[in-house]
Amino acid sequence: RSPHRMGATRSGRALSALCLLAVVGAERYTLGEHRTLGSRTSHLASRRLHVSRLRGGSDAPVYEEQGAEYVEAAPMPGVALTEKLMPILLWHNVLVSGAVFATGNALFALLLFAKLSPISLASRLLFLAICAGFLYTTLSKFLVGFLGPDVVRTPTLGVAYVLDEQVYPYVPPVVYAINVAVNDLKAAVWCVSYVHTAKYLAATWLLSEVGKRVSLGTAAYASFILAFALPKAVESKRAEIDSAVALVQGKVEEVKATMRDQVYSRINAAKERAGDLLNQGKAMCTQGMSALSSVGGKVAGAAASAPESAEE
């Protein structure tokens, strides 16, 4: 590896470690501050109410066996984003889906192959739009005598281009997703469940290894292509895929049952072997105790007969 890449990798790992330590330190500082004030109970109650209001749930806490505290969350409000995206990804309207797919490919081509940065691309597109508007407005004013006064339109300024009712349906799902993601991350950092933490460790390690070999732009472009290819392929081959998945699930269940039987049989055999060894140990202990008692009796008899022989 080149020194620059090794330095970037080390810097990224150091930054990740610092972020993790910052999250844990901030949480511990908050808990420690409330402990010193002697109000840990009220802190947990206020925290439960705050999380409940964020997630739209009730105020009743829910406890798991690991000791972590949760609140019941209401279903995700608002319009689901997938309901808006799936018709485009499934090519229900070929013109709309084709336009989105072509626009995405053009943007990724400019970013990946033309090596343009997102800031440079956005600035150039805005520059071209302003130039086109300037040329159109200027030429139209010169040709207003030939084309008529309706060619040049007067722009309407100061209007509300985005309304609250247009944005609000998309805000609750995003807020809900952020809260759930932060909640899962905190559960992984504080090791509420070892399985959950192990999943996060495996996922982060896999992402770090993939990130060292695949750039973010390439991964985003591959995801964009798969998003437009896989749903349509799955929809067209739904019956075959369902049968294949059912077959695979059946095979997996058979393998799991076989492995479970083998594990249970080995456990039972080990238990029987341990029981036999325990019985053998008990028998040996009994024999040893009887041997010790007989030896003790002989020693006691010899000790009793020794004074009599001495007197004779």
Side-chain angles (χ1 to χ4, degrees), residues 111-189:
L111 293 174
L112 297 178
F113 302 108
K115 303 299 181 182
L116 293 177
S117 66
I119 298 177
S120 177
L121 179 60
S123 300
R124 292 188 181 186
L125 291 177
L126 184 59
F127 177 79
L128 292 176
I130 294 174
C131 288
F134 174 76
L135 292 175
Y136 170 77
T137 304
T138 305
L139 292 177
S140 299
K141 288 181 178 179
F142 280 111
L143 299 176
V144 68
F146 300 96
L147 301 178
D150 296 333
V151 176
V152 182
R153 297 181 180 179
T154 303
T156 303
L157 302 177
V159 297
Y161 301 100
V162 179
L163 302 177
D164 295 339
E165 55 269 18
Q166 295 175 344
V167 179
Y168 178 74
Y170 300 96
V171 174
V174 175
V175 173
Y176 180 84
I178 293 174
N179 290 329
V180 171
V182 173
N183 186 67
D184 291 342
L185 182 59
K186 287 179 65 177
V189 171

Side-chain angles (χ1 to χ4, degrees), residues 148-236:
D150 296 333
V151 176
V152 182
R153 297 181 180 179
T154 303
T156 303
L157 302 177
V159 297
Y161 301 100
V162 179
L163 302 177
D164 295 339
E165 55 269 18
Q166 295 175 344
V167 179
Y168 178 74
Y170 300 96
V171 174
V174 175
V175 173
Y176 180 84
I178 293 174
N179 290 329
V180 171
V182 173
N183 186 67
D184 291 342
L185 182 59
K186 287 179 65 177
V189 171
W190 287 98
C191 200
V192 175
S193 172
Y194 289 106
V195 176
H196 184 70
T197 302
K199 290 179 180 180
Y200 263 80
L201 288 175
T204 51
W205 178 82
L206 182 61
L207 287 175
S208 65
E209 293 297 323
V210 172
K212 290 192 297 186
R213 295 166 176 82
V214 181
S215 64
L216 181 61
T218 305
Y221 185 50
S223 302
F224 177 78
I225 296 297
L226 291 176
F228 277 88
L230 284 182
K232 188 63 178 179
V234 170
E235 187 184 35
S236 60

Side-chain angles (χ1 to χ4, degrees), residues 24 34 36 45 75 89 92 104 110 130 147 166 184 191-192 194 201 237 247 273 285 301 308:
V24 175
H34 282 275
T36 56
L89 299 179
H92 290 172
L110 293 174
I130 294 174
L147 301 178
Q166 295 175 344
D184 291 342
C191 200
V192 175
Y194 289 106
L201 288 175
K237 304 290 184 180
L247 180 62
R273 181 61 178 169
C285 290
E308 297 177 356

